[in-house]
Amino acid sequence: MSRGKAPSALDLPRPDSLDAGKQQGAYEALRAAILDRQLPAGSRLPSTRSLAERWLVSRGTLEAAYDRLHSEGYVQRVAGSGTRVCAVIPEQFIAAPVASVMVRRPVEPDPPSAGVQSHVPFVARRPDASLFDLKAWARCISRGLLAVGPGVLEANYFAGLPDLREHIAEYLRSYRGLRCEADEVIITTGIRHALDLIARTLLKPGDTACVEDPGYLPARRLFALAGAHIQAIPVCAEGLDTAQLPDTARLAYVTPAHQAPLGMTLSVSRRLALLDWAARADAWVVEDDYDSEYNYNTAPLAALKSLDHADRVIYCGSFNKNLFPGLRVGFMVVPKGLRRSLLRTLQLTGHSVGASDQLGLAEFLRSGAFVRHLRASRQAYEARRDALLACLPQNCAVSGQQAGLHFVLWLPPGVTEGDFCERAAAVGLTLQPLGKFCTQVSLPPAVIIGYTALTLAQIRYHGRVLTQLLIAA
């Protein structure tokens, strides 16, 4: 270069990056020259023809690189004026900032809710996942996936895979007395998901939704989120007091097989009265059949839906309570008049179960593994219930122990729920006060006792601790 001559873009050496990829290499070399101010703002880039001869690349390669620099704001291309470097380099706007070196902190899990922990005495409504045959489940998922083509994995079945819905309908016909077909079944992620879909579809602000008192709190909250007025209907020895259901209500939510939390079964006369009310009031009944598979004394009554000749009952079930909580597969059996509107809501929310879980569950049902699991878990839970009842004082009052995953322990006179639960927590017991589930009714003090997610050794040890608390109360 001659003395005093300004550096030219033609003096840019041929970059080594061209050997790896000519277009990308040319772009990176020119971009680096601009950012390093080797090509200062306002300077003119050489023509693509001259630079192509110097760098031994095609002119088309450099045209593509120039166009990319122009699209990203590094250069301006004006006909008759050539290509010039922009006055302001917009690097801070298009390049991600370089991450500074920082010490990574370990992830701290969120503390679990006391109402959903397993293996904690005596948290209620939890199955024992250790009873579940994981190897059988893995085989079912594998067989289910291998048996279908890619079309099943690509298709959107908003109501759920047809094969799973058919197996669920067959199970309900055989074991719950329902007269239903696969096209009446909609797959959900659980009962709460079903209640949310029902609330979004059926309830408008100002509608009345009736719930049991005491009862399942999430149902009340989900209906309230839809803007409904919640009317609490008291529960007596025969279940929901159907005489207090208003004719202006839009729906009534019930747990007829094992009332949550008191544990009684809705009597046949009350079931017929409830269905008569629904037909007369043009209302809907939501049946939550959350733990009906576990009846330890006699065969359970058929589902309320089995008596539903007017097609007013929405039946909700779940596999999370009888297989394992993390499965997140449930279902609804819906009246024909509601199917289309419920599916529209489901499609809009986009909240559906993955195909692999549905395929595995369909194979689990088809192979008979589900019924075998129910038989084994029912025997295990009955043994645990009996062991816990044997630990309690003979004069201790309990109810709802004939079925389900929990029972109610009524406290001695003069003992408050809050004080008893605090003393229980001090010795490692987690108890839920019955008053937590009440809205307007006032019941004697009691606590909810869950036993199904505990081993026999845990039950015997903590059962003695609970007995000592009762004696000292």
Side-chain angles (χ1 to χ4, degrees):
M1 181 176 67
S2 304
R3 180 179 298 178
K5 185 178 179 181
S8 168
L10 287 172
D11 295 330
L12 290 173
R14 185 180 190 275
D16 295 335
S17 57
L18 290 175
D19 297 329
K22 290 184 172 55
Q23 187 179 121
Q24 180 67 19
Y27 161 79
E28 291 178 354
L30 292 168
R31 178 177 177 272
I34 293 171
L35 294 177
D36 294 341
R37 301 300 191 270
Q38 190 176 358
L39 293 173
S43 63
R44 183 175 176 179
L45 271 66
S47 67
T48 55
R49 184 188 303 276
S50 59
L51 192 58
E53 293 175 355
R54 179 175 178 81
W55 282 6
L56 303 178
V57 297
S58 69
R59 186 180 177 187
T61 295
L62 289 176
E63 285 287 350
Y66 277 34
D67 286 342
R68 182 173 174 185
L69 290 169
H70 172 66
S71 67
E72 293 179 357
Y74 289 102
V75 299
Q76 291 179 329
R77 306 195 76 181
V78 180
S81 181
T83 303
R84 295 184 180 274
V85 178
C86 290
V88 178
I89 305 301
E91 185 65 14
Q92 66 271 28
F93 299 109
I94 65 172
V98 179
S100 58
V101 178
M102 60 180 295
V103 178
R104 300 299 300 270
R105 54 183 174 82
V107 176
E108 297 182 1
D110 295 332
S113 168
V116 297
Q117 299 178 72
S118 296
H119 306 292
V120 175
F122 290 95
V123 171
R125 304 182 306 279
R126 299 291 285 180
D128 186 357
S130 66
L131 297 175
F132 186 68
D133 189 344
L134 287 174
K135 291 183 178 179
W137 177 248
R139 288 193 298 269
C140 288
I141 289 183
S142 178
R143 284 198 296 264
L145 287 170
L146 293 175
V148 300
V152 172
L153 302 180
E154 295 169 358
N156 288 324
Y157 294 101
F158 293 107
L161 295 183
D163 192 36
L164 175 58
R165 290 157 51 207
E166 179 56 52
H167 286 300
I168 290 175
E170 182 179 355
Y171 169 77
L172 295 175
R173 289 192 296 266
S174 301
Y175 291 91
R176 298 300 293 130
L178 269 66
R179 298 181 299 275
C180 66
E181 300 297 334
D183 61 357
E184 300 173 68
V185 177
I186 295 177
I187 304 301
T188 67
T189 63
I191 288 177
R192 292 195 194 193
H193 182 206
L195 296 180
D196 183 45
L197 290 174
I198 292 167
R200 292 171 184 262
T201 305
L202 297 184
L203 295 177
K204 301 187 298 292
D207 284 348
T208 298
C210 298
V211 297
E212 299 168 319
D213 190 12
Y216 184 51
L217 295 181
R220 159 185 288 273
R221 293 167 182 162
L222 288 168
F223 297 154
L225 283 175
H229 166 69
I230 308 301
Q231 182 161 340
I233 306 297
V235 174
C236 58
E238 292 187 62
L240 185 76
D241 188 355
T242 53
Q244 298 195 36
L245 289 170
D247 287 344
T248 56
R250 179 64 170 159
L251 63 80
Y253 166 85
V254 292
T255 52
H258 188 240
Q259 200 275 333
L262 294 180
M264 76 279 293
T265 300
L266 186 65
S267 68
V268 174
S269 60
R270 292 286 175 90
R271 293 178 183 224
L272 295 175
L274 178 60
L275 294 174
D276 180 67
W277 165 82
R280 185 180 67 253
D282 192 25
W284 303 101
V285 176
V286 181
E287 178 180 10
D288 183 345
D289 205 31
Y290 68 103
D291 67 356
S292 63
E293 292 87 357
Y294 299 108
N295 195 296
Y296 309 118
N297 296 348
T298 60
L301 283 175
L304 172 67
K305 178 71 174 172
S306 67
L307 303 173
D308 181 28
H309 301 296
D311 208 19
R312 307 301 302 180
V313 176
I314 308 169
Y315 177 91
C316 303
S318 173
F319 294 97
N320 307 329
K321 286 286 189 291
N322 43 39
L323 294 182
F324 57 94
L327 179 58
R328 310 315 309 166
V329 180
F331 57 92
M332 295 187 291
V333 179
V334 301
K336 294 179 177 59
L338 293 179
R339 184 179 187 275
R340 182 172 297 178
S341 56
L342 284 167
L343 281 179
R344 279 200 300 266
T345 304
L346 179 58
Q347 183 177 358
L348 179 63
T349 58
H351 194 187
S352 57
V353 180
S356 58
D357 281 343
Q358 293 192 60
L359 290 168
L361 185 55
E363 179 64 23
F364 202 70
L365 289 163
R366 186 202 63 77
S367 66
F370 178 66
V371 174
R372 291 193 296 272
H373 171 79
L374 287 182
R375 188 180 302 115
S377 58
R378 186 185 295 114
Q379 293 174 351
Y381 296 161
E382 183 177 8
R384 297 172 191 186
R385 179 206 63 169
D386 293 344
L388 181 55
L389 292 175
C391 292
L392 300 178
Q394 291 185 352
N395 61 345
C396 187
V398 298
S399 63
Q401 74 276 20
Q402 79 285 351
L405 308 179
H406 72 275
F407 60 77
V408 179
L409 172 63
W410 301 93
L411 299 179
V415 178
T416 64
E417 293 177 350
D419 178 64
F420 190 79
C421 289
E422 286 181 4
R423 290 192 290 113
V427 293
L429 306 182
T430 300
L431 304 178
Q432 294 174 296
L434 178 61
K436 174 184 176 182
F437 300 88
C438 297
T439 302
Q440 296 176 355
V441 300
S442 179
L443 297 175
V447 291
I448 311 301
I449 302 294
Y451 51 87
T452 49
L454 302 173
T455 65
L456 284 172
Q458 287 177 308
I459 285 175
R460 293 188 180 104
Y461 174 79
H462 294 292
R464 290 192 293 268
V465 175
L466 179 61
T467 296
Q468 292 170 1
L469 283 176
L470 290 169
I471 294 175

